[in-house]
Amino acid sequence: MGKNKKLTDDWESKKLDLVAGGRLLQDGLVYRQNISVRSFEIGGDRKMSFGALLNHLQDTALNQGIITGLLVDGFGSTQEMSRNNLIWVVSTLHVVVDRYPTWTEVVEVDTWMYASGKNGLGRDWIFRDSKTGETLANATSVYVMMNRETRKLSKIAKEMRDELEPYVMDCERPIINKDGRKIQKLDVSAADQRCTGLSPGWKDMDINQHVSNVKYIDWILESVPHSLMERYDLNAMTLEYKKECDMDSVLQSLSKRVSEGSTYSFSASKVVEFDHLLRLENGREILRGRTVWKLRDTNNRVNSYIY
Amino acid sequence: MGKNKKLTDDWESKKLDLVAGGRLLQDGLVYRQNISVRSFEIGGDRKMSFGALLNHLQDTALNQGIITGLLVDGFGSTQEMSRNNLIWVVSTLHVVVDRYPTWTEVVEVDTWMYASGKNGLGRDWIFRDSKTGETLANATSVYVMMNRETRKLSKIAKEMRDELEPYVMDCERPIINKDGRKIQKLDVSAADQRCTGLSPGWKDMDINQHVSNVKYIDWILESVPHSLMERYDLNAMTLEYKKECDMDSVLQSLSKRVSEGSTYSFSASKVVEFDHLLRLENGREILRGRTVWKLRDTNNRVNSYIY
């Protein structure tokens, strides 16, 4: 417990105005924050969109860094990282949504970090119904370090490991089992759907001059048939980031149904799965992904939503 | 004051979980809510984006409706409106931003309604620095009623006026003077900049099957030179909505610099103004707008932002 003493003292002495009321639990290792689903975060079904959910993954992770004092430079880096011009980048992300919260619902988010292998930082999240404690969503992610100038990946040096140590949980496992199946590189000639000529705008870049995660999700979802989205909910998404892209990149988004059945006919399926590939026009892989879609519960329709 | 008695009683008896801690002031006529600027609401300069600010205009307006019980059906309509299949649509919007709040800053938003002419509902907002009380932004808007099926505008009938009366301020003036100059219809042949083939996606539609306001803003900003945005802040925007558009619409965004000087050279100007026009490809007007841009204070740069 001693290792966390300084952390909690630091935290107590900070006067941070996180209006969301975020706080530290379990000797400062778990960050908890309530979020209210806003009118601008919902889709036509009045449920929080997948993109909005992803926004809160990033936001609560950063808030934990701010409230503990671990992040110092506003780029999400620690003091040692900042000194060495290093930033965090997402390597893998796996999200499972059991139920999307609806407009005005209050969601309790817990998040924590742990060591992931020699050179990765794991982070998990649980989204719960703040009233009933029902689990709404789980997510798990691995971050690695990248040099901000050279854009090359970096090992986690001892001084950074020591710096992180008081803030990370003593566990090596994500809260959810990652989808164990390896995502094969999608055979381009076999793709059912493709969108081409995709390019990020200036407003799609985040503070580290990456294309924001939510933009990647948009591109992936653009290659999924709308007829699917009308009847199925996105239940799970797995992403493996292979390479950065920048404002000048021109991308293709390809997808292929991997569960049994045709891409355009879902009538007999309760679950439909797709493999995804985002690549540059020269063929270089940017991202591999898998999405799992579940037939929507028709008792839970738009029109049944009344305050 | 008597007319507000029922309102505040109703409000007290509600157990609404607005985590943002919104509350009613001035006999229930003013709604106040603190908002914290989130990591996903900022641009590369770490300041809240104009689009995010607009999101909170809509959100606080809806929250006032929920907390007072005036809104009943989740479409932003009152009981009488819902019975008559009517919804609110924005007719004009005028926003002035003196200073954009930065990431993690807490902003206090006040909003209230008042009668605007015979068939309009006015709504004003003030955004303040929650610590110093400094005014950050003002906004004023006029809403009118539209039939949800026929999409035709409607008068405000007596029963709806009576229903609204306990909730509206006894004033007829917006908090900021609207830009008094009439926005002329932009002469298409004289436009400096144009973007064509713009079309909303399914995710750009709001709960009333309108194209969301933020999408309109995106389209307007796409027709402004990026060289301007790099050095100027959007100080004010005035929008006059002329006609709805839907998912099948294909639009053009046109703009013309109306302040002195060339569209592509801003070096001598502290303030630059543009007129804007969004129209269908057949020429039908969707929206007229004006934007005012101010030379950015170079002492207030990204790199000076430290926690």
Side-chain angles (χ1 to χ4, degrees):
Chain A
M1 295 290 159
K3 73 173 184 180
N4 297 316
K5 184 73 175 71
K6 183 172 176 306
L7 170 67
T8 41
D9 283 357
D10 279 0
W11 173 54
E12 294 294 348
S13 71
K14 282 194 189 298
K15 296 273 176 275
L16 282 161
D17 277 315
L18 290 170
V19 76
R23 62 191 193 279
L24 297 175
L25 306 172
Q26 299 194 28
D27 291 311
L29 297 178
V30 173
Y31 175 72
R32 174 170 291 178
Q33 181 183 312
N34 276 359
I35 57 176
S36 180
V37 181
R38 307 284 188 153
S39 56
F40 50 82
E41 296 184 312
I42 60 174
D45 58 358
R46 287 175 169 62
K47 292 179 185 167
M48 184 180 242
S49 69
F50 190 81
L53 196 146
L54 247 64
N55 279 336
H56 286 289
L57 298 185
Q58 176 194 264
D59 196 57
T60 50
L62 286 166
N63 286 348
Q64 179 176 24
I66 297 170
I67 206 169
T68 57
L70 179 63
L71 303 187
V72 294
D73 68 350
F75 289 94
S77 301
T78 65
Q79 203 149 26
E80 280 298 330
M81 286 173 70
S82 184
R83 201 169 289 158
N84 290 278
N85 218 6
L86 296 171
I87 56 174
W88 292 115
V89 291
V90 180
S91 163
T92 62
L93 175 64
H94 180 55
V95 184
V96 178
V97 183
D98 296 321
R99 178 172 77 75
Y100 286 90
T102 54
W103 182 23
T104 74
E105 199 170 339
V106 181
V107 179
E108 180 186 87
V109 184
D110 282 1
T111 183
W112 60 91
M113 300 180 282
Y114 51 89
S116 175
K118 273 186 77 171
N119 289 303
L121 180 70
R123 180 180 281 282
D124 282 11
W125 293 263
I126 308 180
F127 283 55
R128 291 191 186 94
D129 181 320
S130 68
K131 280 185 188 158
T132 65
E134 170 202 1
T135 296
L136 302 174
N138 284 305
T140 186
S141 185
V142 175
Y143 298 80
V144 291
M145 288 185 185
M146 175 186 270
N147 186 292
R148 202 145 78 90
E149 298 304 320
T150 66
R151 312 309 276 186
K152 282 190 182 158
L153 296 186
S154 167
K155 291 188 177 177
I156 302 185
K158 185 178 178 305
E159 55 270 31
M160 289 163 214
R161 196 171 298 279
D162 291 347
E163 191 184 32
L164 287 167
E165 199 256 338
Y167 303 90
V168 299
M169 285 274 221
D170 192 13
C171 67
E172 288 246 356
R173 275 201 296 177
I175 192 165
I176 41 176
N177 288 321
K178 287 184 209 171
D179 190 336
R181 298 164 297 171
K182 199 170 158 49
I183 306 181
Q184 302 296 332
K185 181 169 177 177
L186 196 148
D187 175 5
V188 174
S189 63
D192 306 312
Q193 298 251 330
R194 66 181 69 206
C195 300
T196 57
L198 304 170
S199 200
W202 56 272
K203 67 188 278 292
D204 302 318
M205 310 306 282
D206 70 13
I207 53 172
N208 282 324
Q209 297 307 305
H210 290 105
V211 172
S212 76
N213 276 324
V214 173
K215 192 66 198 174
Y216 285 119
I217 307 301
D218 284 349
W219 285 332
I220 286 174
L221 297 185
E222 275 182 49
S223 74
V224 172
H226 285 184
S227 55
L228 178 83
M229 294 188 186
E230 281 165 12
R231 294 175 47 225
Y232 289 75
D233 280 327
L234 180 53
N235 164 247
M237 183 180 275
T238 308
L239 300 177
E240 293 176 9
Y241 294 84
K242 299 293 181 187
K243 175 105 183 59
E244 287 192 296
C245 64
D246 61 27
M247 276 208 46
D248 302 322
S249 304
V250 183
L251 289 93
Q252 301 178 332
S253 175
L254 307 161
S255 66
K256 178 171 171 51
R257 179 170 174 178
V258 287
S259 53
E260 274 178 42
S262 136
T263 298
Y264 302 97
S265 164
F266 316 107
S267 52
S269 312
K270 287 210 164 173
V271 176
V272 177
E273 290 189 28
F274 282 86
D275 274 357
H276 302 276
L277 172 65
L278 283 182
R279 60 174 207 159
L280 296 178
E281 298 219 314
N282 67 14
R284 184 143 196 182
E285 273 193 290
I286 297 294
L287 183 153
R288 283 185 204 182
R290 174 172 293 144
T291 55
V292 179
W293 301 78
K294 286 199 175 164
L295 191 62
R296 197 167 293 146
D297 175 6
T298 48
N299 294 325
N300 200 358
R301 277 269 177 83
V302 171
N303 293 334
S304 72
Y305 182 85
I306 302 287
Y307 292 111
Chain B
M1 295 294 157
K3 75 172 183 179
N4 297 316
K5 182 73 176 71
K6 184 174 174 303
L7 171 66
T8 41
D9 282 356
D10 279 359
W11 173 55
E12 295 295 348
S13 71
K14 282 194 188 299
K15 297 272 175 277
L16 281 161
D17 278 315
L18 290 170
V19 76
R23 61 190 193 279
L24 296 175
L25 306 171
Q26 299 194 29
D27 291 311
L29 297 178
V30 173
Y31 174 72
R32 174 171 292 178
Q33 181 183 311
N34 277 0
I35 56 176
S36 180
V37 181
R38 307 285 186 150
S39 57
F40 50 82
E41 297 184 310
I42 61 175
D45 58 358
R46 288 176 168 59
K47 291 178 185 169
M48 185 181 240
S49 69
F50 190 81
L53 196 145
L54 247 65
N55 279 336
H56 286 288
L57 297 185
Q58 176 195 265
D59 196 56
T60 50
L62 286 167
N63 286 348
Q64 180 176 23
I66 297 170
I67 206 169
T68 57
L70 179 63
L71 303 186
V72 293
D73 69 350
F75 289 95
S77 300
T78 66
Q79 202 149 27
E80 281 296 330
M81 286 173 71
S82 184
R83 202 169 290 158
N84 290 277
N85 218 5
L86 296 171
I87 55 173
W88 292 116
V89 291
V90 181
S91 162
T92 62
L93 175 64
H94 180 55
V95 184
V96 178
V97 184
D98 297 320
R99 178 172 77 73
Y100 286 90
T102 53
W103 182 24
T104 74
E105 200 171 339
V106 180
V107 180
E108 180 186 86
V109 184
D110 282 0
T111 183
W112 59 91
M113 299 180 281
Y114 50 90
S116 175
K118 272 185 75 169
N119 290 304
L121 180 70
R123 179 181 282 281
D124 283 10
W125 293 263
I126 307 179
F127 283 54
R128 292 190 186 91
D129 182 320
S130 68
K131 280 186 187 157
T132 66
E134 170 202 1
T135 296
L136 302 174
N138 284 304
T140 186
S141 184
V142 175
Y143 297 80
V144 291
M145 287 185 186
M146 176 186 269
N147 185 293
R148 202 145 77 91
E149 297 303 320
T150 66
R151 313 309 277 185
K152 282 190 182 158
L153 296 186
S154 166
K155 290 189 177 177
I156 302 185
K158 185 178 178 303
E159 56 269 30
M160 289 165 215
R161 195 171 299 280
D162 291 347
E163 191 183 31
L164 287 167
E165 200 255 338
Y167 303 90
V168 298
M169 284 275 223
D170 192 13
C171 68
E172 288 246 355
R173 276 201 296 177
I175 192 164
I176 42 176
N177 288 321
K178 286 184 211 173
D179 190 336
R181 299 164 297 171
K182 199 169 156 51
I183 306 180
Q184 301 295 332
K185 179 168 178 178
L186 197 150
D187 175 4
V188 174
S189 63
D192 305 313
Q193 297 252 330
R194 66 181 69 206
C195 301
T196 57
L198 304 170
S199 200
W202 57 273
K203 68 187 277 290
D204 301 318
M205 310 307 282
D206 69 13
I207 51 171
N208 282 323
Q209 296 307 306
H210 290 105
V211 172
S212 76
N213 277 323
V214 173
K215 192 68 198 173
Y216 285 119
I217 308 300
D218 285 349
W219 285 332
I220 286 173
L221 298 184
E222 275 182 50
S223 74
V224 171
H226 286 184
S227 56
L228 177 84
M229 293 189 187
E230 281 165 11
R231 293 175 49 224
Y232 289 75
D233 279 328
L234 180 53
N235 166 247
M237 184 179 276
T238 308
L239 300 177
E240 293 176 8
Y241 294 84
K242 298 293 182 187
K243 175 104 183 62
E244 287 192 296
C245 64
D246 61 26
M247 276 207 46
D248 301 322
S249 303
V250 183
L251 288 93
Q252 300 178 332
S253 174
L254 307 161
S255 67
K256 179 173 170 47
R257 180 168 173 179
V258 288
S259 54
E260 274 177 43
S262 135
T263 299
Y264 302 96
S265 164
F266 316 106
S267 51
S269 313
K270 288 209 164 174
V271 176
V272 179
E273 290 188 30
F274 283 85
D275 275 357
H276 303 275
L277 172 64
L278 284 182
R279 60 172 206 160
L280 296 180
E281 299 219 313
N282 66 15
R284 183 143 198 183
E285 273 193 290
I286 298 293
L287 183 153
R288 283 184 204 184
R290 174 172 291 143
T291 55
V292 180
W293 301 79
K294 288 198 173 164
L295 191 61
R296 197 166 294 147
D297 175 6
T298 48
N299 293 325
N300 200 358
R301 277 269 177 81
V302 172
N303 292 336
S304 70
Y305 183 86
I306 302 287
Y307 292 111

